[in-house]
């Protein structure tokens, strides 16, 4: 078991200084930092064996294709999907959700149908469905949340109807940190014969994810939020759906036979991977998954729980500070406002103290509207953060309060 100092040493960027102060990085919800092994894996692709995947007879293409397919297998086992054919590499969560919204909409949605989302959704799990609904004459229904930022399950059950074509729900709110009971939601939706897409952008990196026991129909996540490279993501889809859905893009590698009269498509998963994919990113992502497995997902979940408890206690002691989202079941995200101080001012002062937090609506405007605010300051922590950094955040907030009082 590595010590926290050893873990932090795996991430070169964590030891840099900003404005001559140690960097305190609390914007892990936006993107996570990368361990050296991930950077090395991507560099190795380009220095040792780069060739386009599934294209050539030469050794470079073979080596890259093998590493790419091994990455697919790594993702499959990481989320416990049944088959490697069910793992599609995409550009990220946004790419994955847009793709399903397009193809599922084309194949299954008709005028009058409904898609159920929740108030907690990131814009990436709202706008693609709106675009699809506009095209198909369907509409969106929204599950409300209570004052703690928790989904109201009874209201969800009331929204399910014969018109419901799909439920698309986040696993964890990026704005408040609430962990959503996606298993209960999936079971209830399935009882009504409705498939479920889970937006795992904020779920995949914090605890074990098992799509087989979750039984969701689609699961989307981004590599860069789980210590992997940017520009790579995953769509898991049950084989029965992926077989039925039309491809969302056409191009090289996704075809079987092409004539000007007719094209037949490649088998899964290649049917959904048109053109040259981000294979270096996929290989880097596989290394990131190896890395977190080496640290241990249970260890990560436990350490982040400790950080959340510590940060909640310390921040609650600051009298002019209000925390938004206090579900008993949340990840290590604290969204807050300081009385009479705009969130941008707080963020900018903290930045000058070397503390990186996110400010604004967090691409989740509806949840901000629900709480009647135009944004928050968000400190999103992960396992490489420390209680010392939380103390630095608290001192920084006291400084903000002094400056603006
Ligand atoms: N869904 C949630 C809950 C998110 O937090 C994010 C990003 O913050 C996304 C979707 C979009 O992820 P990406 O920008 O990596 O596609």
């Amino acid at each position: 078991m590595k010590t926290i100092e050893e873990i932090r040493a795996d991430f070169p960027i964590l030891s840099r200084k900003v404005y001559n102060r140690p960097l305190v990085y609390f914007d892990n919800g936006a993107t996570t930092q990368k361990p050296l092994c991930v950077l090395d894996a991507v560099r190795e692709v380009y220095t040792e064996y780069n060739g386009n995947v599934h294209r050539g007879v030469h050794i470079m293409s073979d080596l890259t294709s093998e590493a790419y397919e091994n990455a697919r297998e790594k993702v499959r086992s990481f989320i416990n999907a049944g088959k490697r054919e069910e793992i599609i590499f995409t550009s990220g969560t946004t790419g994955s959700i847009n793709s399903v919204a397009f193809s599922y909409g084309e194949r299954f949605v008709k005028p009058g149908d409904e898609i159920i989302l929740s108030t907690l959704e990131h814009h990436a799990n709202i706008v693609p469905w709106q675009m699809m609904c506009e095209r198909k004459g369907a509409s969106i229904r929204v599950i409300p949340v209570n004052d703690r930022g928790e989904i109201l399950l009874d209201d969800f059950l009331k929204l399910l109807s014969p018109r419901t074509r799909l439920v698309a729900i986040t696993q964890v709110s990026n704005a408040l940190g609430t962990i959503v009971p996606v298993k209960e939601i999936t079971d209830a939706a399935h009882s009504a014969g409705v498939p479920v897409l889970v937006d795992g952008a904020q779920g995949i990196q914090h605890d074990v994810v098992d799509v087989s026991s979750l039984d969701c129909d689609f699961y989307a996540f981004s590599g860069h939020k789980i210590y992997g490279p940017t520009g790579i993501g995953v769509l898991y889809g049950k084989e029965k759906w992926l077989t039925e859905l039309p491809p969302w893009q056409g191009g090289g590698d996704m075809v079987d036979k092409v004539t000007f009269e007719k094209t037949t498509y490649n088998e899964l998963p290649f049917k959904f991977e048109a053109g040259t994919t981000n294979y270096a990113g996929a290989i880097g992502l596989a290394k990131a998954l190896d890395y977190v497995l080496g640290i241990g997902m249970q260890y990560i979940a436990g350490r982040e729980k400790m950080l959340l408890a510590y940060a909640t206690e310390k921040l609650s002691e600051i009298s002019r500070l209000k925390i938004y989202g206090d579900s008993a079941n949340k990840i290590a995200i604290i969204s807050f406002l300081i009385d009479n101080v705009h969130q941008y001012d707080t963020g900018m002062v903290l930045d000058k103290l070397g503390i990186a937090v996110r400010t604004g609506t967090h691409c989740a405007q509806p949840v901000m509207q629900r709480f009647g605010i135009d944004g928050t300051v968000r400190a999103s922590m992960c396992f490489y953060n420390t209680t010392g950094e939380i103390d630095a955040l608290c001192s920084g907030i006291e400084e903000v309060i002094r400056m603006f009082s």
Side-chain angles (χ1 to χ4, degrees), residues 29 92-94 122 124 170 172 174 199 201-202 222 224-225:
T93 309
T94 304
H122 186 281
T170 195
V172 171
N174 69 310
D199 171 352
Q202 301 291 343
S222 302
H224 71 101
K225 293 194 195 278

Side-chain angles (χ1 to χ4, degrees), residues 263-282:
T263 290
T264 53
Y265 302 130
N266 203 341
E267 59 199 19
L268 291 175
F270 311 113
K271 172 178 143 187
F272 294 108
E273 292 183 358
T276 299
T277 55
N278 182 2
Y279 53 80

